[in-house]
């Protein structure tokens, strides 16, 4: 598989290569590029890459309908770039025809994955016009009425990743339906709420007409529905959007009664409503017809979690990008990092999820919402469920969690990421899902044996969040995916992941079914995810391989080898003839299979 990750290889090639070899190197430069099924070459061109780590590097760029690929022709500096076009957010012309100075005329490319690329071209003959037009067209297909690459690729996998998440199976795993909660198909044609999934879990005693009246009082008709139920104490996590209270303080008896039904389902004394927003924002939302649950909601308590909105998160990540790419200024690193507020936002999201998980663990049902219930709400519910339910900490369970809480419940991936859309300044864009994956990574660092999957899975998910190679993260909601036939016309990311599961497994994983994880959400315990945010720096990449993990994998492989040999010996011992043979020639096995000491010589430990 062609990797979506760029590789900066600064190893110098043999400086004694003859001039003839250099010419043949140029000719063969792009011959070894492995294209995906359905990927077509569009154009290639000699170009100079202004590498922030190696300076100006001559080479050749290839543009396909999926990627931008660059390879250096300079034998002294080996540099390779492999960038999915979906990761590009902006293409700009650099310099004009009259520009002076070396390498001042070319293209500036801004990426969504924390890096910028700069290419210089020769000034004569409008040499950049064609490549600019081609790149703009292929990187932003939606803006040019072209299909996204996910609809063009012809990749085939044994497993159909679209079958990873089946709502009814997941409800049954949780013990639903039961005598307190029922499954409703009122939204089967997306008539109740066009951004919700078709299968919903609601209080047993509520009628369909009750749901319609509640929908009229909730933003975007996103009514409170069950996301997760605690097997033992029957406390639930319910998600929704804000009530439409408005400036006049409107009330809705049906909504108030509905929330009380949720409370009664497991005899919770008080229903806790977690509003993800800062209280001042929630009050301000009244001016646009929104708001929050007031004192009229009896037997309920309202807690604001002070998590900022999508615009604040977008600006925070921009500031982080400024201090990590291309170079890290180490002299003021801590103060620079603090000024981005990124880890502070991560802390608040994790802290909110901990409060939700703790409340449910102690037997109290909770309702979680922000404004529309598809950004901060998804962060809080999915992280709380990750803390409470060990199933979601498995490789397949984590896929179900993302499918359920993010994809089926309408996180606006298309708006937040801008797939194939040239409008880079769109105010709807925001790294909400990136922030969630960051929070998951923080948990894996604090609980290294609790997760079946490793960091590589998280990196792969974020790379393909942008790549447009799979249909998984396309469009804003399930109804839009149905309309664009995503499940039948594109491949799921989970098809790729589950085709090579071993590379995504954590060798330190120890299953603990009943354990609730409470990460420490303090600035002293949170780290910047260096291997994601600063991975384009070649110095960082050299440090990425964990020697402990590598050694552990080697030992696990050795253990499996010994277990296999033991099984073979037991099988041979069970046959009378082999027992006779063994008794007469006790040392024959040593001639065919290596001794433990011989096997250990093949292991090279970095420790």
């Amino acid at each position: 598989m062609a990797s979506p990750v760029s590789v900066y290889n600064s190893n110098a090639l043999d400086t004694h290569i003859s001039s003839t070899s250099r010419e043949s190197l140029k000719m063969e430069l792009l011959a070894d590029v492995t294209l995906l099924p359905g990927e077509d070459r569009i154009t290639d061109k000699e170009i100079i890459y202004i590498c922030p780590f190696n300076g100006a590097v001559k080479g050749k760029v290839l543009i396909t309908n999926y990627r931008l690929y660059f390879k250096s022709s300079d034998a002294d500096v080996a540099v390779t770039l492999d960038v999915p076009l979906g990761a590009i957010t902006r293409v700009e012309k650099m310099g004009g025809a009259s520009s002076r100075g070396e390498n001042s005329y070319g293209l500036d490319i801004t990426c969504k994955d924390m890096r910028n690329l700069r290419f210089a071209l020769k000034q004569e003959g409008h040499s950049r016009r064609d490549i600019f037009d081609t790149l703009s067209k292929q990187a932003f297909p939606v803006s040019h009425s072209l299909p996204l690459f996910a609809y063009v690729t012809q990749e085939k996998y044994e497993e159909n990743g679209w079958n990873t998440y089946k709502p009814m199976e997941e409800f049954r795993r949780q013990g639903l339906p039961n005598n307190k909660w029922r499954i409703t198909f009122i939204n089967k044609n997306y008539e109740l709420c066009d951004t919700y999934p078709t299968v919903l879990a609601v209080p047993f005693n509520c009628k369909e007409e009750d749901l319609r009246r509640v929908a009229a009082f909730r933003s975007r008709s996103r009514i409170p529905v069950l996301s997760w139920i605690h097997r033992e104490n029957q406390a639930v996590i319910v998600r929704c959007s804000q009530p439409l209270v408005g400036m006049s303080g409107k009330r809705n008896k049906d909504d108030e009664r509905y929330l009380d039904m949720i409370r009664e389902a497991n005899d919770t004394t008080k229903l806790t409503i977690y509003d993800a927003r800062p209280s001042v924002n929630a009050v301000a939302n009244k001016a646009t017809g929104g708001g929050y649950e007031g004192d009229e909601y009896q037997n309920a308590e309202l807690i604001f979690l002070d998590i900022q909105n999508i615009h604040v998160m977008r600006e925070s990540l921009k500031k982080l990008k400024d201090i990590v790419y291309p170079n890290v200024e180490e002299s003021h690193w801590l103060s620079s990092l603090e000024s981005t507020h990124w880890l502070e936002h991560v802390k608040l999201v994790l802290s909110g999820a901990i409060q939700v998980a703790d409340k449910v663990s102690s037997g109290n049902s909770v309702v979680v919402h922000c404004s529309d219930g598809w950004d901060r709400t998804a962060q809080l519910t999915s992280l709380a469920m990750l803390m409470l339910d060990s199933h979601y900490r498995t490789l397949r369970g984590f896929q179900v969690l993302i499918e359920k809480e993010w994809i089926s419940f309408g996180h606006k991936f298309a708006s937040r990421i801008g797939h194939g859309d040239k409008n880079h300044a769109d105010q709807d864009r925001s790294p909400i899902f990136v922030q969630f994956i960051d929070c998951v990574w923080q948990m894996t660092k604090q609980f290294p044996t609790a997760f079946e999957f490793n960091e590589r899975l998280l990196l792969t998910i974020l790379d393909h969040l942008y790549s447009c190679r799979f249909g998984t993260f396309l469009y804003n909601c399930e109804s839009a995916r149905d309309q664009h036939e995503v499940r039948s016309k594109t491949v799921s990311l989970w098809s790729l992941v589950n085709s090579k599961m071993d590379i995504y497994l954590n060798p330190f994983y120890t299953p603990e079914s009943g354990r609730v994880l409470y990460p420490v959400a303090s600035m002293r315990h949170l780290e910047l995810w260096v291997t994601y945010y600063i991975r384009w720096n070649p110095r960082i990449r050299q440090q990425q391989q964990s020697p402990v993990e590598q050694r552990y994998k080697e030992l696990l492989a050795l253990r499996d080898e010994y277990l296999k040999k033991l099984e073979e010996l037991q099988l041979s011992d069970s046959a009378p003839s082999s027992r006779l043979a063994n008794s007469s020639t006790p040392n024959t096995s040593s001639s065919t299979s290596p001794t433990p000491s011989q096997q250990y010589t093949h292991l090279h430990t970095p420790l």
Side-chain angles (χ1 to χ4, degrees):
M1 183 197 88
S3 166
V5 178
S6 299
V7 180
Y8 293 92
N9 183 350
S10 56
N11 296 333
L13 297 175
D14 186 355
T15 53
H16 300 294
I17 296 177
S18 67
S19 58
T20 310
S21 300
R22 288 176 189 273
E23 284 306 310
S24 64
L25 181 64
K26 284 184 182 180
M27 296 288 289
E28 296 296 319
L29 220 47
L30 301 175
D32 62 345
V33 182
T34 306
L35 301 184
L36 297 167
E39 184 179 2
D40 295 324
R41 291 169 176 252
I42 307 294
T43 188
D44 60 65
K45 197 177 191 74
E46 288 199 358
I47 204 166
I48 296 171
Y49 169 46
I50 314 299
C51 177
F53 311 109
N54 295 303
V57 181
K58 289 182 180 178
K60 218 169 186 187
V61 68
L62 166 69
I63 297 171
T64 73
N65 54 347
Y66 172 66
R67 81 185 77 212
L68 176 154
Y69 185 92
F70 171 84
K71 193 166 185 179
S72 59
S73 56
D74 188 339
D76 298 325
V77 186
V79 176
T80 308
L81 286 173
D82 190 350
V83 186
L85 298 180
I88 295 175
T89 191
R90 183 171 16 167
V91 181
E92 292 178 301
K93 292 176 179 176
M94 170 182 78
S98 59
S99 293
R100 294 288 173 266
E102 196 177 11
N103 302 327
S104 59
Y105 176 84
L107 296 174
D108 250 333
I109 299 169
T110 307
C111 298
K112 300 168 184 175
D113 59 7
M114 305 299 289
R115 60 183 160 165
N116 297 335
L117 309 173
R118 178 171 283 195
F119 293 100
L121 293 115
K122 294 172 182 172
Q123 283 175 259
E124 62 268 13
H126 302 290
S127 63
R128 74 175 170 195
R129 182 189 294 160
D130 291 347
I131 194 166
F132 175 81
D133 291 344
T134 300
L135 201 50
S136 299
K137 195 173 175 182
Q138 298 299 326
F140 311 122
V142 171
S143 299
H144 293 87
S145 302
L146 292 172
L148 290 159
F149 183 72
Y151 287 94
V152 177
T153 181
Q154 293 161 22
E155 289 181 84
K156 296 282 188 288
Y157 295 95
E158 282 187 22
E159 182 178 326
N160 183 357
W162 294 120
N163 295 328
T164 294
Y165 170 57
K166 294 179 178 175
M168 286 306 301
E169 277 185 17
E170 175 57 17
F171 279 134
R172 278 195 288 271
R173 185 192 70 83
Q174 294 184 34
L176 297 168
N178 59 25
N179 62 351
K180 299 290 186 181
W181 294 90
R182 68 182 179 88
I183 307 299
T184 177
F185 299 95
I186 188 174
N187 201 42
K188 67 179 179 183
N189 296 316
Y190 307 107
E191 287 170 1
L192 181 77
C193 173
D194 62 356
T195 60
Y196 260 10
T198 55
V199 183
L200 304 169
V202 296
F204 190 86
N205 294 324
C206 77
K207 298 180 175 64
E208 305 294 75
E209 53 265 32
D210 296 334
L211 299 177
R212 290 190 182 91
R213 285 195 288 268
V214 171
F217 193 64
R218 289 279 164 177
S219 177
R220 314 278 180 170
S221 300
R222 293 172 67 90
I223 64 171
V225 291
L226 181 146
S227 266
W228 189 81
I229 185 166
H230 196 291
R231 278 276 191 175
E232 282 76 41
N233 63 37
Q234 297 294 291
V236 296
I237 297 175
V238 166
R239 62 179 294 168
C240 59
S241 61
Q242 65 183 339
L244 300 177
V245 175
M247 291 298 286
S248 60
K250 281 186 285 190
R251 287 184 62 175
N252 184 301
K253 293 284 188 183
D254 296 295
D255 193 70
E256 292 165 29
R257 172 67 192 132
Y258 184 76
L259 259 58
D260 214 40
M261 281 186 195
I262 293 168
R263 180 191 64 79
E264 289 169 351
N266 77 322
D267 298 322
T268 298
T269 312
K270 270 201 169 176
L271 180 67
T272 305
I273 302 167
Y274 286 106
D275 191 322
R277 302 167 293 185
S279 57
V280 64
N281 293 27
V283 171
N285 274 21
K286 285 187 172 185
T288 54
Y292 54 90
E293 295 82 358
D295 295 336
E296 64 274 11
Y297 287 82
Q298 296 177 357
N299 305 316
E301 61 172 342
L302 179 66
I303 297 171
F304 292 104
L305 295 175
D306 293 323
I307 301 168
Q308 297 294 334
N309 63 26
I310 62 169
H311 311 296
V312 173
M313 300 309 182
R314 180 179 60 248
E315 293 309 310
S316 178
L317 190 66
K318 273 185 187 171
K319 288 177 184 174
L320 180 61
K321 181 176 179 176
D322 289 341
I323 70 162
V324 300
Y325 191 89
N327 296 310
V328 176
E329 189 186 344
E330 294 189 14
S331 57
H332 304 101
W333 171 247
L334 290 176
S335 58
S336 297
L337 180 59
E338 188 181 359
S339 69
T340 70
H341 300 292
W342 182 254
L343 286 180
E344 193 180 316
H345 297 315
V346 167
K347 181 194 85 166
L348 284 167
V349 172
L350 273 172
S351 175
I354 291 165
Q355 291 181 60
V356 172
D358 189 49
K359 186 67 76 171
V360 172
S361 188
S362 63
N364 296 286
S365 291
V366 303
V367 171
V368 181
H369 71 71
C370 46
S371 299
D372 291 316
W374 49 45
D375 290 311
R376 290 165 282 193
T377 301
Q379 289 179 328
L380 292 166
T381 57
S382 51
L383 287 168
M385 288 156 64
L386 201 61
M387 294 170 195
L388 290 161
D389 193 335
S390 61
H391 173 65
Y392 297 127
R393 304 196 285 265
T394 65
L395 181 56
R396 287 185 180 271
F398 189 61
Q399 296 169 30
V400 168
L401 182 67
I402 290 173
E403 284 282 343
K404 187 165 96 69
E405 290 303 291
W406 290 87
I407 296 168
S408 81
F409 270 106
H411 173 64
K412 297 171 69 176
F413 282 104
S415 298
R416 299 291 176 258
I417 306 303
H419 294 124
D421 184 351
K422 68 179 180 182
N423 300 311
H424 61 87
D426 189 339
Q427 292 299 295
D428 266 355
R429 296 200 183 178
S430 190
I432 301 302
F433 185 74
V434 174
Q435 193 173 55
F436 158 68
I437 296 291
D438 192 329
C439 290
V440 174
W441 179 82
Q442 302 287 346
M443 287 178 65
T444 65
K445 291 295 284 183
Q446 293 192 24
F447 301 98
T449 64
F451 294 84
E452 188 186 23
F453 54 86
N454 59 21
E455 180 185 59
R456 187 170 186 168
L457 177 74
L458 303 181
L459 291 168
T460 299
I461 287 170
L462 289 187
D463 280 336
H464 291 301
L465 170 68
Y466 301 127
S467 76
C468 296
R469 178 176 158 189
F470 301 99
T472 304
F473 300 118
L474 301 185
Y475 304 106
N476 281 335
C477 56
E478 206 174 89
S479 62
R481 286 181 204 100
D482 281 2
Q483 187 183 337
H484 291 93
E485 302 176 88
V486 166
R487 292 173 73 93
S488 61
K489 291 188 173 179
T490 74
V491 177
S492 165
L493 170 59
W494 315 128
S495 298
L496 167 76
V497 169
N498 295 332
S499 72
K500 43 174 72 180
M501 294 179 76
D502 56 320
I503 69 170
Y504 301 111
L505 293 176
N506 169 21
F508 303 114
Y509 175 57
T510 308
E512 293 179 83
S513 59
R515 185 182 177 200
V516 179
L517 304 184
Y518 291 121
V520 180
S522 81
M523 296 301 282
R524 285 179 298 122
H525 287 80
L526 298 179
E527 301 175 38
L528 181 71
W529 187 7
V530 170
T531 44
Y532 177 68
Y533 297 114
I534 317 184
R535 62 183 167 151
W536 308 119
N537 189 314
R539 280 177 52 204
I540 298 300
R541 180 168 292 104
Q542 289 159 12
Q543 301 161 12
Q544 276 187 27
Q545 179 63 56
S546 162
V548 177
E549 187 171 329
Q550 182 60 32
R551 177 63 173 150
Y552 196 79
K553 282 179 178 175
E554 289 171 350
L555 291 173
L556 285 177
L558 190 65
R559 181 199 66 181
D560 292 343
E561 202 174 323
Y562 277 134
L563 286 172
K564 189 179 176 183
K565 288 194 177 300
L566 181 62
E567 197 177 315
E568 287 170 1
L569 286 169
Q570 286 171 337
L571 283 170
S572 62
D573 281 354
S574 65
S577 59
S578 66
R579 274 206 300 273
L580 189 62
N582 285 343
S583 63
S584 60
T585 55
N587 293 321
T588 51
S589 64
S590 63
S591 64
T592 55
S593 59
T595 63
S597 61
Q598 286 175 317
Q599 285 191 325
Y600 269 109
T601 60
H602 297 295
L603 288 174
H604 302 288
T605 174
L607 293 179

